[in-house]
Amino acid sequence: MTSAVEVTAQRLRDRGERVTPARLAVVEVLAGTEEHLSAEQIGERAEELRPGIHRATVYRALDALGEFGLVTHVHLGRAGTTYHLAGDLAPRHLHLRCSECGTVYDAPGDILEAARKKVQRELGFQLAPEQVALVGVCVECQG
Protein backbone atom coordinates (compact mmCIF):
# COMPACT_ATOMS: atom_id res chain seq x y z
CA MET A 1 0.00 0.00 0.00
CA THR A 2 1.31 3.43 -0.93
CA SER A 3 1.62 5.86 1.96
CA ALA A 4 0.21 9.37 2.01
CA VAL A 5 3.78 10.69 2.05
CA GLU A 6 4.67 8.74 -1.11
CA VAL A 7 1.46 9.80 -2.87
CA THR A 8 2.09 13.45 -1.91
CA ALA A 9 5.69 13.32 -3.13
CA GLN A 10 4.56 11.90 -6.48
CA ARG A 11 1.77 14.46 -6.84
CA LEU A 12 4.16 17.30 -6.10
CA ARG A 13 6.60 15.96 -8.72
CA ASP A 14 3.76 15.57 -11.24
CA ARG A 15 2.84 19.22 -10.69
CA GLY A 16 6.44 20.32 -11.07
CA GLU A 17 6.52 21.41 -7.41
CA ARG A 18 9.38 20.91 -5.00
CA VAL A 19 9.33 17.89 -2.71
CA THR A 20 10.74 19.41 0.47
CA PRO A 21 11.43 17.84 3.87
CA ALA A 22 8.96 20.28 5.47
CA ARG A 23 6.16 19.37 3.07
CA LEU A 24 6.73 15.67 3.61
CA ALA A 25 6.99 16.13 7.38
CA VAL A 26 3.63 17.92 7.44
CA VAL A 27 1.99 15.06 5.54
CA GLU A 28 3.68 12.49 7.77
CA VAL A 29 2.39 14.24 10.90
CA LEU A 30 -1.16 14.49 9.54
CA ALA A 31 -1.17 10.91 8.24
CA GLY A 32 -0.02 9.66 11.62
CA THR A 33 -2.82 11.07 13.77
CA GLU A 34 -6.57 11.32 14.07
CA GLU A 35 -6.23 14.35 16.32
CA HIS A 36 -7.33 17.82 15.25
CA LEU A 37 -3.97 19.61 15.12
CA SER A 38 -3.31 23.32 14.88
CA ALA A 39 -0.52 24.70 12.70
CA GLU A 40 1.58 25.16 15.84
CA GLN A 41 1.10 21.54 16.90
CA ILE A 42 1.94 20.33 13.39
CA GLY A 43 5.08 22.49 13.51
CA GLU A 44 6.14 21.00 16.84
CA ARG A 45 5.64 17.44 15.64
CA ALA A 46 7.32 18.09 12.29
CA GLU A 47 10.37 19.46 14.14
CA GLU A 48 10.47 16.27 16.22
CA LEU A 49 10.34 14.13 13.06
CA ARG A 50 12.92 16.15 11.19
CA PRO A 51 15.09 18.19 13.55
CA GLY A 52 16.26 21.41 11.98
CA ILE A 53 13.01 22.21 10.21
CA HIS A 54 11.93 25.67 11.27
CA ARG A 55 8.37 26.32 12.27
CA ALA A 56 7.98 29.12 9.71
CA THR A 57 8.95 26.64 6.99
CA VAL A 58 6.26 24.25 8.23
CA TYR A 59 3.67 27.04 8.07
CA ARG A 60 4.69 27.81 4.47
CA ALA A 61 4.48 24.08 3.69
CA LEU A 62 0.94 23.96 5.11
CA ASP A 63 -0.06 26.91 2.92
CA ALA A 64 1.47 25.37 -0.19
CA LEU A 65 -0.05 21.94 0.43
CA GLY A 66 -3.40 23.66 0.92
CA GLU A 67 -3.05 25.48 -2.40
CA PHE A 68 -2.28 22.14 -4.09
CA GLY A 69 -5.39 20.52 -2.57
CA LEU A 70 -3.40 18.01 -0.51
CA VAL A 71 -4.17 19.50 2.91
CA THR A 72 -7.28 21.28 4.07
CA HIS A 73 -8.27 23.13 7.20
CA VAL A 74 -11.39 23.53 9.25
CA HIS A 75 -12.40 26.46 11.43
CA LEU A 76 -13.45 25.16 14.81
CA GLY A 77 -14.63 28.46 16.23
CA ARG A 78 -13.01 29.28 19.55
CA ALA A 79 -10.98 26.07 19.30
CA GLY A 80 -9.07 27.58 16.37
CA THR A 81 -8.17 26.22 12.97
CA THR A 82 -7.03 22.64 12.47
CA TYR A 83 -5.55 20.87 9.47
CA HIS A 84 -5.88 17.43 7.93
CA LEU A 85 -5.11 15.60 4.71
CA ALA A 86 -7.49 16.30 1.85
CA GLY A 87 -9.08 14.44 -1.02
CA ASP A 88 -8.28 10.77 -1.37
CA LEU A 89 -5.41 11.04 1.11
CA ALA A 90 -7.90 10.83 3.98
CA PRO A 91 -11.53 9.85 4.45
CA ARG A 92 -13.93 12.74 3.93
CA HIS A 93 -15.45 13.79 7.21
CA LEU A 94 -17.19 16.67 8.95
CA HIS A 95 -16.51 18.17 12.35
CA LEU A 96 -18.95 18.65 15.21
CA ARG A 97 -17.94 20.89 18.14
CA CYS A 98 -19.72 20.89 21.48
CA SER A 99 -20.45 24.46 22.55
CA GLU A 100 -20.39 23.40 26.21
CA CYS A 101 -17.19 21.37 26.61
CA GLY A 102 -15.40 22.21 23.35
CA THR A 103 -14.86 18.59 22.31
CA VAL A 104 -14.55 18.08 18.55
CA TYR A 105 -16.05 14.96 17.00
CA ASP A 106 -15.66 13.56 13.50
CA ALA A 107 -18.81 12.70 11.57
CA PRO A 108 -19.16 10.78 8.29
CA GLY A 109 -18.56 13.04 5.31
CA ASP A 110 -21.86 12.17 3.67
CA ILE A 111 -24.09 12.78 6.69
CA LEU A 112 -25.29 16.14 5.31
CA GLU A 113 -25.47 15.03 1.68
CA ALA A 114 -29.27 15.44 1.46
CA ALA A 115 -29.05 18.98 2.86
CA ARG A 116 -26.13 19.82 0.57
CA LYS A 117 -28.10 18.67 -2.48
CA LYS A 118 -31.24 20.52 -1.39
CA VAL A 119 -29.35 23.80 -0.92
CA GLN A 120 -27.70 23.35 -4.33
CA ARG A 121 -30.99 22.52 -6.03
CA GLU A 122 -33.15 25.18 -4.38
CA LEU A 123 -30.67 28.01 -3.88
CA GLY A 124 -27.94 27.27 -6.41
CA PHE A 125 -25.40 27.42 -3.60
CA GLN A 126 -22.66 24.83 -3.06
CA LEU A 127 -22.09 24.15 0.63
CA ALA A 128 -18.62 23.30 1.96
CA PRO A 129 -19.40 21.98 5.45
CA GLU A 130 -15.94 20.39 5.61
CA GLN A 131 -14.50 23.88 6.14
CA VAL A 132 -16.28 24.62 9.41
CA ALA A 133 -17.33 22.84 12.56
CA LEU A 134 -21.01 22.36 13.11
CA VAL A 135 -21.80 23.54 16.62
CA GLY A 136 -24.18 21.87 19.03
CA VAL A 137 -24.24 20.12 22.38
CA CYS A 138 -22.78 16.62 22.82
CA VAL A 139 -24.53 13.74 24.55
CA GLU A 140 -22.41 14.09 27.70
CA CYS A 141 -23.24 17.79 28.12
CA GLN A 142 -26.95 17.26 27.41
CA GLY A 143 -27.29 14.86 30.33
Side-chain angles (χ1 to χ4, degrees):
M1 186 160 122
T2 307
S3 74
V5 174
E6 294 168 325
V7 170
T8 298
Q10 188 57 53
R11 289 186 182 164
L12 290 171
R13 283 187 205 98
D14 291 347
R15 292 177 56 100
E17 300 292 343
R18 294 177 317 146
V19 179
T20 67
R23 290 176 180 179
L24 297 181
V26 165
V27 173
E28 190 173 346
V29 167
L30 293 174
T33 187
E34 291 185 14
E35 294 175 78
H36 300 97
L37 300 177
S38 67
E40 183 176 338
Q41 291 169 316
I42 294 167
E44 290 169 1
R45 293 184 187 189
E47 286 180 277
E48 291 171 10
L49 284 174
R50 300 220 170 83
I53 291 179
H54 296 283
R55 195 128 342 139
T57 305
V58 171
Y59 295 158
R60 286 192 299 274
L62 273 170
D63 287 342
L65 292 168
E67 288 177 25
F68 305 148
L70 300 169
V71 169
T72 189
H73 63 278
V74 61
H75 301 284
L76 299 177
R78 66 179 177 209
T81 300
T82 64
Y83 295 81
H84 52 87
L85 296 177
D88 61 352
L89 294 175
R92 182 173 156 236
H93 64 282
L94 305 179
H95 299 88
L96 310 174
R97 181 178 59 81
C98 177
S99 60
E100 298 294 319
C101 67
T103 301
V104 177
Y105 301 90
D106 287 343
D110 63 351
I111 201 162
L112 293 179
E113 200 56 35
R116 183 194 308 249
K117 287 179 180 176
K118 183 173 182 169
V119 168
Q120 172 68 37
R121 184 177 59 251
E122 294 181 13
L123 303 174
F125 189 84
Q126 289 187 345
L127 288 178
E130 299 89 357
Q131 297 294 311
V132 296
L134 302 171
V135 179
V137 180
C138 71
V139 171
E140 288 80 17
C141 291
Q142 291 176 39

